[in-house]
mmCIF file with all atom_site columns, all heavy atoms in Angstrom:
data_model
loop_
_atom_site.group_PDB
_atom_site.id
_atom_site.type_symbol
_atom_site.label_atom_id
_atom_site.label_alt_id
_atom_site.label_comp_id
_atom_site.label_asym_id
_atom_site.label_entity_id
_atom_site.label_seq_id
_atom_site.pdbx_PDB_ins_code
_atom_site.Cartn_x
_atom_site.Cartn_y
_atom_site.Cartn_z
_atom_site.occupancy
_atom_site.B_iso_or_equiv
_atom_site.pdbx_formal_charge
_atom_site.auth_seq_id
_atom_site.auth_comp_id
_atom_site.auth_asym_id
_atom_site.auth_atom_id
_atom_site.pdbx_PDB_model_num
ATOM 1  N N   . ILE A 1 252 ? -10.118 9.963  21.067 1.00 97.00 ? 252 ILE A N   1
ATOM 2  C CA  . ILE A 1 252 ? -9.473  11.072 20.380 1.00 97.00 ? 252 ILE A CA  1
ATOM 3  C C   . ILE A 1 252 ? -8.192  11.500 21.096 1.00 97.00 ? 252 ILE A C   1
ATOM 4  O O   . ILE A 1 252 ? -7.314  12.113 20.498 1.00 97.00 ? 252 ILE A O   1
ATOM 5  C CB  . ILE A 1 252 ? -10.457 12.248 20.228 1.00 97.00 ? 252 ILE A CB  1
ATOM 6  C CG1 . ILE A 1 252 ? -9.964  13.213 19.125 1.00 97.00 ? 252 ILE A CG1 1
ATOM 7  C CG2 . ILE A 1 252 ? -10.694 12.962 21.562 1.00 97.00 ? 252 ILE A CG2 1
ATOM 8  C CD1 . ILE A 1 252 ? -11.020 14.182 18.660 1.00 97.00 ? 252 ILE A CD1 1
ATOM 9  N N   . ALA A 1 253 ? -8.074  11.153 22.374 1.00 98.00 ? 253 ALA A N   1
ATOM 10 C CA  . ALA A 1 253 ? -6.849  11.465 23.117 1.00 98.00 ? 253 ALA A CA  1
ATOM 11 C C   . ALA A 1 253 ? -5.623  10.819 22.453 1.00 98.00 ? 253 ALA A C   1
ATOM 12 O O   . ALA A 1 253 ? -4.508  11.355 22.546 1.00 98.00 ? 253 ALA A O   1
ATOM 13 C CB  . ALA A 1 253 ? -6.988  11.002 24.563 1.00 98.00 ? 253 ALA A CB  1
ATOM 14 N N   . ASP A 1 254 ? -5.840  9.689  21.779 1.00 98.00 ? 254 ASP A N   1
ATOM 15 C CA  . ASP A 1 254 ? -4.727  8.979  21.131 1.00 98.00 ? 254 ASP A CA  1
ATOM 16 C C   . ASP A 1 254 ? -4.260  9.657  19.845 1.00 98.00 ? 254 ASP A C   1
ATOM 17 O O   . ASP A 1 254 ? -3.256  9.235  19.271 1.00 98.00 ? 254 ASP A O   1
ATOM 18 C CB  . ASP A 1 254 ? -5.148  7.542  20.816 1.00 98.00 ? 254 ASP A CB  1
ATOM 19 C CG  . ASP A 1 254 ? -5.507  6.749  22.058 1.00 98.00 ? 254 ASP A CG  1
ATOM 20 O OD1 . ASP A 1 254 ? -4.679  6.724  22.978 1.00 98.00 ? 254 ASP A OD1 1
ATOM 21 O OD2 . ASP A 1 254 ? -6.616  6.188  22.111 1.00 98.00 ? 254 ASP A OD2 1
ATOM 22 N N   . LEU A 1 255 ? -4.983  10.681 19.403 1.00 98.00 ? 255 LEU A N   1
ATOM 23 C CA  . LEU A 1 255 ? -4.654  11.338 18.142 1.00 98.00 ? 255 LEU A CA  1
ATOM 24 C C   . LEU A 1 255 ? -4.027  12.720 18.335 1.00 98.00 ? 255 LEU A C   1
ATOM 25 O O   . LEU A 1 255 ? -3.637  13.349 17.349 1.00 98.00 ? 255 LEU A O   1
ATOM 26 C CB  . LEU A 1 255 ? -5.908  11.459 17.268 1.00 98.00 ? 255 LEU A CB  1
ATOM 27 C CG  . LEU A 1 255 ? -6.608  10.153 16.925 1.00 98.00 ? 255 LEU A CG  1
ATOM 28 C CD1 . LEU A 1 255 ? -7.884  10.412 16.129 1.00 98.00 ? 255 LEU A CD1 1
ATOM 29 C CD2 . LEU A 1 255 ? -5.676  9.226  16.151 1.00 98.00 ? 255 LEU A CD2 1
ATOM 30 N N   . ILE A 1 256 ? -3.935  13.171 19.559 1.00 97.00 ? 256 ILE A N   1
ATOM 31 C CA  . ILE A 1 256 ? -3.419  14.525 19.823 1.00 97.00 ? 256 ILE A CA  1
ATOM 32 C C   . ILE A 1 256 ? -2.017  14.713 19.243 1.00 97.00 ? 256 ILE A C   1
ATOM 33 O O   . ILE A 1 256 ? -1.714  15.732 18.612 1.00 97.00 ? 256 ILE A O   1
ATOM 34 C CB  . ILE A 1 256 ? -3.426  14.824 21.342 1.00 97.00 ? 256 ILE A CB  1
ATOM 35 C CG1 . ILE A 1 256 ? -4.870  14.848 21.869 1.00 97.00 ? 256 ILE A CG1 1
ATOM 36 C CG2 . ILE A 1 256 ? -2.729  16.151 21.630 1.00 97.00 ? 256 ILE A CG2 1
ATOM 37 C CD1 . ILE A 1 256 ? -4.969  14.911 23.381 1.00 97.00 ? 256 ILE A CD1 1
ATOM 38 N N   . ASP A 1 257 ? -1.171  13.716 19.416 1.00 96.00 ? 257 ASP A N   1
ATOM 39 C CA  . ASP A 1 257 ? 0.210   13.845 18.957 1.00 96.00 ? 257 ASP A CA  1
ATOM 40 C C   . ASP A 1 257 ? 0.353   13.814 17.441 1.00 96.00 ? 257 ASP A C   1
ATOM 41 O O   . ASP A 1 257 ? 1.453   14.099 16.912 1.00 96.00 ? 257 ASP A O   1
ATOM 42 C CB  . ASP A 1 257 ? 1.080   12.733 19.569 1.00 96.00 ? 257 ASP A CB  1
ATOM 43 C CG  . ASP A 1 257 ? 1.286   12.914 21.075 1.00 96.00 ? 257 ASP A CG  1
ATOM 44 O OD1 . ASP A 1 257 ? 1.089   14.057 21.546 1.00 96.00 ? 257 ASP A OD1 1
ATOM 45 O OD2 . ASP A 1 257 ? 1.613   11.925 21.738 1.00 96.00 ? 257 ASP A OD2 1
ATOM 46 N N   . LEU A 1 258 ? -0.725  13.464 16.713 1.00 96.00 ? 258 LEU A N   1
ATOM 47 C CA  . LEU A 1 258 ? -0.654  13.461 15.256 1.00 96.00 ? 258 LEU A CA  1
ATOM 48 C C   . LEU A 1 258 ? -0.943  14.835 14.651 1.00 96.00 ? 258 LEU A C   1
ATOM 49 O O   . LEU A 1 258 ? -0.692  15.042 13.466 1.00 96.00 ? 258 LEU A O   1
ATOM 50 C CB  . LEU A 1 258 ? -1.670  12.459 14.692 1.00 96.00 ? 258 LEU A CB  1
ATOM 51 C CG  . LEU A 1 258 ? -1.434  10.981 15.010 1.00 96.00 ? 258 LEU A CG  1
ATOM 52 C CD1 . LEU A 1 258 ? -2.476  10.135 14.298 1.00 96.00 ? 258 LEU A CD1 1
ATOM 53 C CD2 . LEU A 1 258 ? -0.028  10.550 14.613 1.00 96.00 ? 258 LEU A CD2 1
ATOM 54 N N   . VAL A 1 259 ? -1.451  15.749 15.465 1.00 94.00 ? 259 VAL A N   1
ATOM 55 C CA  . VAL A 1 259 ? -1.781  17.077 14.945 1.00 94.00 ? 259 VAL A CA  1
ATOM 56 C C   . VAL A 1 259 ? -0.508  17.924 14.835 1.00 94.00 ? 259 VAL A C   1
ATOM 57 O O   . VAL A 1 259 ? 0.269   17.997 15.794 1.00 94.00 ? 259 VAL A O   1
ATOM 58 C CB  . VAL A 1 259 ? -2.800  17.791 15.863 1.00 94.00 ? 259 VAL A CB  1
ATOM 59 C CG1 . VAL A 1 259 ? -3.074  19.206 15.351 1.00 94.00 ? 259 VAL A CG1 1
ATOM 60 C CG2 . VAL A 1 259 ? -4.095  16.979 15.934 1.00 94.00 ? 259 VAL A CG2 1
#
Side-chain angles (χ1 to χ4, degrees):
I252 199 165
D254 299 307
L255 302 176
I256 295 171
D257 290 340
L258 295 184
V259 177

